[in-house]
Amino acid sequence: MLTIPCPHCGDRAETEFVYGGDAGVSRPADPAALGDAEWSAYLYLRDNPRGRHSEYWYHRSGCRRWLQVERDTLTHRVLATSFAGYPKRGSE
Amino acid sequence: MRGYSLAAILRHGLRRNLTWPEAIRHPEPKSRYDAVIVGGGGHGLATAYYLASMHGITDVAVLERGWIGGGNTGRNTTIVRSNYGQPANSAFYEHSLKLWEGLSDELNFNVMLSQRGLINTFHTAADREAWIRRYNFMRLRGIDAELLSREDLAERVPAMNLSTDLRLPVLGAVLQPRAGVAHHDAVAWGYARAADAKGVDIIQNCEVTGFAREAGRVVAVETSRGRIDTGKVGICVAGSSSEVARMAGIRLPIETHLLQALVSEPVKPFLDVVVSAGDYGMYISQTDKGEVLIGGPLDGYNSYSQRGSPATIERVLASAVELFPAISRLRMMRHWAGANDMTMDGSPIISRTPVEGLYFNGGWCYGGFKATPASGWTFAYTMAEDRPHPLNEPFTLERFESGHLISERGAGRLPGLH
């Protein structure tokens, strides 16, 4: 069971959250200017690291904020959390 | 290789079973092979076997970081089926099921295929329509499929709770009679032994650390036991595909997720069919040893940990007890999680890659075990001929760019939902 330290609510169990996927993927600013290769890379290709991963979690049963979480996908250790879309807070 | 037979059992039995030869050799890696397979699971070993038996390519090495069959081949729920709706999946998995049906004879190794049938229950009107539609597709393609009423289920699966007081009462089910289970280790060992007998070198404790390329072609594999020159490399490492493909500079449309399963203490036979209840997110069967084997959905987030979350176990067991109340007091004995390659459309990839001579087999989501024979069969063809067989032609890497996705569930680009 993951324990995710929410910057607003404190340590909470993973069952309060909804996973939002890889936070390292940004929507291209001008999709119409992209070719098929670039657009499909944005849609489908992922680094999928065995180790440190930056990802979104939505605190559905808590403060209902979107979080950006740095987590190790092998050990499940949470390295840092912050509110998504804001400069990073929380500790390494 | 001396074949396994009744005469062999008698002969070795008379010598107190001390004289059985080792099933496979343990060779040192050579400095060069015609083809190298990365990954000694069922898929890699099957690929090596079919390269040797169907395409005459016997100078092959299978490189395995740990021991053969020690990854996802040993971490699944052993179900074999071909109940798919999408034409590409349907043809591929039916080919696989047909290979399963002749596999014990072909490999001279009992893979313990038990075609006890797979029942998919439905619990809502919409789900009923979806399942019947899918099973009609199957019948149109000549694949066995039946519709079961609640009365049929009462007779076929007496342990199932057919009460209308359930949160999601069972409305009926579909059955694929030829589906069933096989023995996971036997598949790896059977393919390994048969490939070894044809001259394939199976090299365990040998980790691949890189791919040497020249002018866009793969020319060698770097390993923990030295460099191996080769012109053809096949990657069969589902679960770790992204990590291995990264060594060749390839990004994949794959996320690695956890899938859990667990078994109870053994009890007397009470369930002679595999039951899958999609709306409950739970499937259940009873092993030959009597253990009740229960699986569920993905944990839902990227992970290579091979350790599942207790929250998922609780949900899955609650569902299992609701549908099969008789198991409520069983103690669970073992539990495990596999790291699954989840693709963006829920279908596998058996394909050439942008690197000449490098071939990729992975993205098995949670359908890898049943696919083992056809996966090896089509991947061997692809590696030998440098082009896909019609059966795996749709399962390319390029489909994500061209838009020809094979999405069985239509769940979009969310690997956690396939």
Side-chain angles (χ1 to χ4, degrees), chain A residues 19 47-48 50 71 73 76, chain B residues 242-243 251 256 302-304:
Chain A
Y19 186 58
D47 287 337
N48 189 28
R50 187 172 188 265
R71 183 177 60 92
T73 59
H76 283 186
Chain B
S242 298
E243 291 291 315
R251 274 179 101 206
T256 300
N302 292 47
S303 176
Y304 287 81

Side-chain angles (χ1 to χ4, degrees), chain B residues 400-412:
Chain B
F400 295 93
E401 190 176 324
S402 67
H404 295 90
L405 302 188
I406 307 162
S407 186
E408 194 70 32
R409 283 191 59 190

Side-chain angles (χ1 to χ4, degrees), chain B residues 33 35-41 44-49 60-64 68 195 200-204 206:
Chain B
Y33 287 92
V36 168
I37 310 290
V38 184
L45 294 164
T47 304
Y49 169 74
V60 177
V62 178
L63 308 182
E64 166 55 45
I68 57 168
V200 171
D201 282 359
I202 295 164
I203 299 158
Q204 304 181 78
C206 180

